[in-house]
Amino acid sequence: MSQGAAHPVLAQAWRGETVESEHRGSVAVMDATGALRLQFGEIDHPVFPRSAVKILQALPLVASGAAERFGLSDAQLAMACASHGGQPAHVATAAATLAQAGLDAAALECGAHWPGFDQATRALAALGQVPSALHNNCSGKHAGFVCLGCLLAQDQGADPRAFLRGYVQRSHPVMREVEAALQAATGYDLADAPVGTDGCSIPTHGIPLRQLALGFARVASGQGLSADHAAAALRLRQAIAREPFMVAGTGRFDTTVMQHFGERVCCKVGAEGVYCAALPELGLGVALKMDDGNTARAAEVVMAELLASLVARDDADHALLAPLRSVTLRNWNGIEVGRLSASLPN
Amino acid sequence: MSQGAAHPVLAQAWRGETVESEHRGSVAVMDATGALRLQFGEIDHPVFPRSAVKILQALPLVASGAAERFGLSDAQLAMACASHGGQPAHVATAAATLAQAGLDAAALECGAHWPGFDQATRALAALGQVPSALHNNCSGKHAGFVCLGCLLAQDQGADPRAFLRGYVQRSHPVMREVEAALQAATGYDLADAPVGTDGCSIPTHGIPLRQLALGFARVASGQGLSADHAAAALRLRQAIAREPFMVAGTGRFDTTVMQHFGERVCCKVGAEGVYCAALPELGLGVALKMDDGNTARAAEVVMAELLASLVARDDADHALLAPLRSVTLRNWNGIEVGRLSASLPN
């Protein structure tokens, strides 16, 4: 970042009739042939996609046969692609995934944190409990990694618990599978890409928005993926469309949008202002990054604006997106004090 | 905002060896004569200072004699300038302020929210309780407004409860006093300034950073203020220096910095990436605003960097500021994944 010209302002926070704060960023929309359909800002500099690429990271879970071997449901596959709020259904579903592989929460290496959904945190505190790794917003994704590791271990005749130890390390067979899927889908060579450690301890690889959008166009269309990855992408998209609550939770953008759009939109938030989406109807992939890393209020309104311009086709679609493109801000007395609005360049 | 050139990058979030996100903004450092000592970005466009100007808004509480009439302690005066975490001591002190004026939490018009300090929220939930207006981070400021209103009512022979109703409105005598103090201190005509509604329902007035920094230079030195406001500013600064916990709370930047620097630094965070500080030793005022409104991670590291360059004079000062200028980021497993660092232009 900071190289070259500043990125354009893509979202603004208004207080009354005044712009109080603003958010800059970049957007790429691609089709699966590699044609660029829309661009704001610079899109060839690597960015860490964080949790926005969970569906790409889950491809090996399905393609390997692990999801089938352990009998994972739609809800469990959706959870493998989730950044969830730690609500009871999320916790129970992650626990069930591990149980179906003959394991439990002790196998998870994502760490524990209080639920992202505030009411779930207060309910836990009211019971005198503390969170476990199952409450971690990445517990479903990690349960999926554990299933993949169990399959690899079983196929080698190894003890799954011993085999899985350290599965978050880049050099572990599970992460090597995940990285290979990410590289194949995005067409970006990860060998020399920047790498960092994500919140849940797995590697995150720097990938340009152009390549991320290409990866999501491939997920949207199947085009450009191997046959088994194309089938896995379709399976995961369908699971998410059927169980959108499991991908995020109460009041969350991804859940709200996909409860309405179903298989027409497969979107996923990432930390630090990243958002990606596959738009199967159009065969397009979307990737965006807010420079300042603001996800909840900046990346979301920009994604809502892009969906309104790319996908929405009737009043119901626009009615769903309108309050997400321009979010009313209220203070502690419930008084309307302003709004968050997308402000894409013409 | 968005007028003219982009503001410079003042802070960066690093993940591993890569800049993951960045924060742009503006800074003004002034002395009380109106001389500009330091500038980054554009400083003549009005910004909403939000809670950063609480000490200016508290000047009438002291200058009117209300603080003396109701016997407010250092802790209570510090609370009048606070954005606190809703910890038990904050709640008790705000309640005591109201009681000394013969009132209770029903007089507060700031609204209720769960404590900003997570452990306080979970402790409240564990007791099966919900927050009151006393837990609002602005409850101390509002208790001060109530005391000022009580004095005005008593002096008119009016019933305080009836008089106070609607004290958050710009047209109310309490807010007129507060606005006049803000205008006098900053030297900025608020009649035609942009105005918005703050989180706690009082008006917030758009004021350029240049004028905010001037206001804090005046608070730092007394110079340029009326005699009663100069005395009030000194009294408030001393109270904050003696009770820095009351201004913020456990783990908070303002509390940490002022517990160390005492009367040498009087700094105050505001929502949406605003920070102000009075530096009495130097007779300087500082005001900054991050474009993207990110307070906790962006405005704080920039303020720490400014304090290191302006105020720090020995190893102890630098040791205190070092982890605030470059904040180590750890993930849910406690693994170091990156850092937030100031990146002021040369």
Side-chain angles (χ1 to χ4, degrees), chain A residues 27 31-32 52 60 126 176 180 182 214 223 232 235 288 298 314 326 331 340:
Chain A
V27 176
D31 70 20
R176 288 210 303 266
L182 193 57
L214 175 64
Q223 213 182 320
R235 179 78 190 89
L288 69 90
D314 60 22
S326 183
N331 74 4
L340 302 172

Side-chain angles (χ1 to χ4, degrees), chain A residues 150-342:
Chain A
C150 275
L151 175 132
L152 297 176
Q154 288 175 359
D155 289 353
Q156 297 179 17
D159 171 59
R161 279 185 184 76
F163 180 87
L164 276 163
R165 210 155 293 141
Y167 72 82
V168 295
Q169 300 299 322
R170 189 178 184 184
S171 57
H172 191 279
V174 167
M175 273 315 114
R176 288 210 303 266
E177 292 272 346
V178 169
E179 183 173 331
L182 193 57
Q183 175 166 305
T186 61
Y188 191 67
D189 182 0
L190 299 182
D192 298 319
V195 65
T197 303
D198 212 325
C200 66
S201 294
I202 71 165
T204 184
H205 304 275
I207 302 173
L209 292 181
R210 183 193 295 273
Q211 304 300 132
L212 290 169
L214 175 64
F216 275 80
R218 289 171 167 177
V219 163
S221 64
Q223 213 182 320
L225 296 178
S226 65
D228 58 342
H229 277 184
L234 179 61
R235 179 78 190 89
L236 290 168
R237 284 202 286 105
Q238 289 172 335
I240 291 167
R242 288 176 195 141
E243 298 283 354
F245 179 84
M246 303 312 293
V247 175
T250 301
R252 292 276 301 280
F253 184 97
D254 285 333
T255 295
T256 301
V257 165
M258 293 194 286
Q259 280 175 338
H260 174 84
F261 282 99
E263 288 191 46
R264 298 169 60 201
V265 172
C266 184
C267 58
K268 183 64 185 67
V269 69
E272 292 289 332
V274 177
Y275 235 110
C276 291
L279 308 177
E281 286 181 320
L282 308 168
L284 297 179
V286 180
L288 69 90
K289 158 85 180 169
M290 307 308 298
D291 293 356
D292 56 61
N294 191 318
T295 298
R297 76 179 204 175
E300 286 184 2
V301 298
V302 175
M303 180 55 80
E305 189 74 11
L306 293 168
L307 293 176
S309 97
L310 295 168
V311 181
R313 59 189 180 208
D314 60 22
D315 289 352
D317 291 349
H318 285 292
L320 185 281
L321 292 171
L324 302 175
R325 296 162 63 190
S326 183
V327 179
T328 300
L329 299 175
R330 296 184 184 281
N331 74 4
W332 303 118
N333 283 317
I335 299 169
E336 182 172 335
V337 295
R339 64 187 189 281
L340 302 172
S341 299

Side-chain angles (χ1 to χ4, degrees), chain A residues 1-2 15 20-23 50 109 111 114 122 197-199 201 272 289 291-292 297 331-333, chain B residues 1-2 15 20-23 50 109 111 114 122 197-199 201 272 289 291-292 297 331 333:
Chain A
M1 310 196 74
S2 295
R15 185 162 297 266
E20 182 168 27
S21 300
E22 61 185 22
H23 302 277
R50 309 293 302 274
E109 298 186 355
W114 288 90
R122 297 197 294 265
T197 303
D198 212 325
S201 294
E272 292 289 332
K289 158 85 180 169
D291 293 356
D292 56 61
R297 76 179 204 175
N331 74 4
W332 303 118
N333 283 317
Chain B
M1 310 194 74
S2 296
R15 184 162 298 265
E20 182 167 28
S21 300
E22 61 185 23
H23 301 277
R50 310 292 301 274
E109 298 185 355
W114 289 91
R122 296 198 295 265
T197 304
D198 213 325
S201 294
E272 291 290 331
K289 157 86 180 168
D291 293 356
D292 57 59
R297 76 178 203 175
N331 74 3
N333 283 319

Side-chain angles (χ1 to χ4, degrees), chain B residues 55-56 58-60 62-64 181 184-185 215 217-238:
Chain B
I55 192 172
L56 304 182
L59 293 173
V62 178
S64 68
R218 289 171 167 178
V219 163
S221 63
Q223 212 183 320
L225 297 178
S226 64
D228 58 342
H229 277 184
L234 179 61
R235 179 79 190 87
L236 290 167
R237 284 202 285 105
Q238 289 173 334

Side-chain angles (χ1 to χ4, degrees), chain B residues 60-87:
Chain B
L61 170 66
V62 178
S64 68
E68 193 176 10
R69 183 176 300 180
F70 301 115
L72 301 194
S73 65
D74 284 337
Q76 291 172 310
L77 289 176
M79 280 279 289
C81 307
S83 296
H84 63 75
Q87 298 182 249

